[in-house]
Amino acid sequence: MAAPLTSKHRSGLSAHVLKVMGMFSGVQIVAILCSIVRTKLVALWLGPAGVGLIGIFLTSFDTVAGVAQSGTIGVTRELAMAPKSALARLVAVVRRWGWGLGLAGMLICVALSPLLSSFSFENYSHTFDFMLVGVAILFACIYNMEGAVMQGTGALVQLGRSTIAGGLLGLALSIPLYYFWGLASIAPAILVAALSNWIVRRYMQTTYPLTGQAPGVKETIVSGKSFAVLGMFIAVTSFASNIVSYIFMTYLNREAGVETAGYFQAGFTVVNRYVGIVLAAVGTEFLPRLSKVSMSPRRAALFITHETILVLLVMFPLITLFICCDELIVRLLYDSRFLVMLPFITWAIVGTVFRAWSWCLAVMILARGDGRAYLLTEIFSALAYLGLNVLFYEHFGIAGMGYAYALWFLLYLAIVWAVCYGRYHIVLRSSGVLVPLGILAVSVAAALLKSMAGWWAAVPFVLLSFVVCVLGMERLLGMNMADLMKKFVGKTKKS
């Protein structure tokens, strides 16, 4: 039986997770800033036509590349669980799969480029542009597969550095193209960005010397079957989820008009993208770590409990700040016309407590490589999302979609909890239940008072959340914040 996590182990693990969280939150912020700068420059120099072209080309790029590289989660899991003696051959297999999937995606996009041009523009004038997008798909696939290798082998520093450096290099090389080539630069800029990302990551990748002959075609196919099958389930799930989202946006557009659909999309982006930075950052480290202990229910339950408490403590001040300052945030990101979406943001933010809680449990399904359970869980969740949104919008308007968001993740939490308990015998510690419930109670109280009396009524809850966060972190880390800051500053000076 696996030994329990001691206080020393918990403090070391907490410090490690916080370090990774800080690093990859910074990585995502840089990526978002690069996207904002690129969009702003295109809007200024190329106008609405340029923004529209980027949207059309990136849609085809994301669709094909997303399917081709859906196996990266399975790759991360396999590498994390692989013994050191088998690591070099498995990495070689993974890299071959990356090239194979990338070439397949490129050939599909190139073959369909006349049809894509005709469908998108009603002529064949952009056929060559779609061919360039196809070549970009090749580099995107091998770039992301190498990222999965870095994540699965624990090379997180190289992963973060290559992501930032590649993104900045791609932006720097794209700007002159936009300025000098105008609308003709859109597809070449997508290719340049993908190529830049791959070159930087290729330069920073780790070499794993092979003993004996390189894997042949048969070994490559057989060895990659497990992560390829999981990738297939993930690809189908992603496609189904996108279809459900499209159906709801179409319904909202027809029932309430394009402006209401735009308000919902803007609010959903604020809640999902910016709050989701924390979850995406933590997931970089959590999936491979949980994969290593996924076959031990007791050990996995300890890790999930610890991750749930840590993630929610970090998110607690963010949630209360969003509730208190949602109007200011909307004015900064959009303008006063979008203030009508504030009721949605207020209650959707409360729902992120369920989102974070359920996410920590849902990672277990991926860590076990249980593709069928993941597929059924996510499709059921997507259908529930559609039904709740339609029902609550018809009864409560924009605010109703916020209620639906919170109930959606509550239902999702119940689903993944049942899966983890029934299939993997995961039983969370009491602290993994009481801490989220306490944070939920405070968040609901803040949202209710803010809705009734204004933003100032939520200020005490913001202060409370910071106090709880600090005290909770001190307990997890085994040191007070003053000592932690001294330790951090000391390490910074030495480096």
Side-chain angles (χ1 to χ4, degrees), residues 175-197:
I175 288 174
L177 297 180
Y178 294 139
Y179 186 79
F180 290 107
W181 288 8
L183 293 176
S185 69
I186 301 298
I190 293 174
L191 174 57
V192 165
L195 180 59
S196 300
N197 280 326

Side-chain angles (χ1 to χ4, degrees), residues 70 226-239 369-376 378-379:
S70 56
S226 57
F227 61 75
V229 170
L230 179 59
M232 179 189 69
F233 281 114
I234 292 173
V236 172
T237 300
S238 177
F239 179 76
D370 196 346
R372 289 183 178 85
Y374 181 78
L375 175 65
L376 294 174
E378 296 299 313
I379 288 181

Side-chain angles (χ1 to χ4, degrees), residues 239-295:
F239 179 76
S241 297
N242 289 335
I243 290 294
V244 169
S245 296
Y246 175 76
I247 290 172
F248 176 68
M249 289 299 292
T250 302
Y251 157 81
L252 196 60
N253 182 44
R254 291 180 177 178
E255 290 293 317
V258 67
E259 287 190 357
T260 300
Y263 296 144
F264 169 75
Q265 186 61 46
F268 192 86
T269 299
V270 168
V271 174
N272 255 36
R273 185 172 187 179
Y274 297 106
V275 177
I277 286 176
V278 175
L279 299 182
V282 176
T284 304
E285 182 271 345
F286 186 44
L287 174 60
R289 175 161 54 86
L290 188 60
S291 297
K292 294 177 182 179
V293 300
S294 60
M295 304 310 293

Side-chain angles (χ1 to χ4, degrees), residues 247-478:
I247 290 172
F248 176 68
M249 289 299 292
T250 302
Y251 157 81
L252 196 60
N253 182 44
R254 291 180 177 178
E255 290 293 317
V258 67
E259 287 190 357
T260 300
Y263 296 144
F264 169 75
Q265 186 61 46
F268 192 86
T269 299
V270 168
V271 174
N272 255 36
R273 185 172 187 179
Y274 297 106
V275 177
I277 286 176
V278 175
L279 299 182
V282 176
T284 304
E285 182 271 345
F286 186 44
L287 174 60
R289 175 161 54 86
L290 188 60
S291 297
K292 294 177 182 179
V293 300
S294 60
M295 304 310 293
S296 169
R298 185 167 179 266
R299 195 79 174 152
L302 288 171
F303 277 21
I304 293 171
T305 299
H306 173 270
E307 205 76 10
T308 300
I309 294 171
L310 184 63
V311 169
L312 280 170
L313 283 175
V314 171
M315 289 185 61
F316 193 17
L318 294 176
I319 292 169
T320 55
L321 274 173
F322 260 81
I323 292 172
C324 180
C325 306
D326 55 359
E327 182 175 343
L328 177 62
I329 292 169
V330 170
R331 289 184 183 275
L332 287 174
L333 295 176
Y334 299 97
D335 59 42
S336 58
R337 292 174 296 174
F338 288 82
L339 293 178
V340 296
M341 68 186 184
L342 291 182
F344 168 81
I345 292 177
T346 298
W347 291 104
I349 284 292
V350 172
T352 59
V353 176
F354 295 127
R355 181 186 175 193
W357 196 355
S358 61
W359 175 87
C360 292
L361 284 161
V363 173
M364 183 62 188
I365 302 175
L366 295 173
R368 288 291 292 257
D370 196 346
R372 289 183 178 85
Y374 181 78
L375 175 65
L376 294 174
T377 299
E378 296 299 313
I379 288 181
F380 186 82
S381 169
L383 293 174
Y385 159 78
L386 176 62
L388 288 170
N389 262 336
V390 171
L391 177 65
F392 278 80
Y393 174 73
E394 290 183 351
H395 286 82
F396 304 104
I398 290 178
M401 292 186 289
Y403 309 149
Y405 184 96
L407 288 174
W408 171 34
F409 278 107
L410 173 59
L411 179 60
Y412 184 64
L413 173 63
I415 295 170
V416 295
W417 198 315
V419 171
C420 288
Y421 178 77
R423 291 177 71 87
Y424 318 130
H425 311 294
I426 301 297
V427 180
L428 296 185
R429 294 288 186 90
S430 59
S431 56
V433 178
L434 296 177
V435 171
L437 288 177
I439 291 174
L440 175 66
V442 173
S443 301
V444 170
L448 285 172
L449 288 177
K450 186 261 179 184
S451 300
M452 293 186 293
W455 66 269
W456 57 268
V459 171
F461 297 99
V462 175
L463 299 176
L464 174 62
S465 67
F466 274 97
V467 171
V468 170
C469 178
V470 169
L471 293 177
M473 288 300 171
E474 287 181 349
R475 183 167 182 176
L476 284 175
L477 295 168

Side-chain angles (χ1 to χ4, degrees), residues 16-26 278 281-282 310-311 314:
H16 173 66
V17 174
L18 287 173
K19 180 181 177 181
V20 173
M21 185 188 302
M23 178 172 64
F24 282 94
S25 293
V278 175
V282 176
L310 184 63
V311 169
V314 171

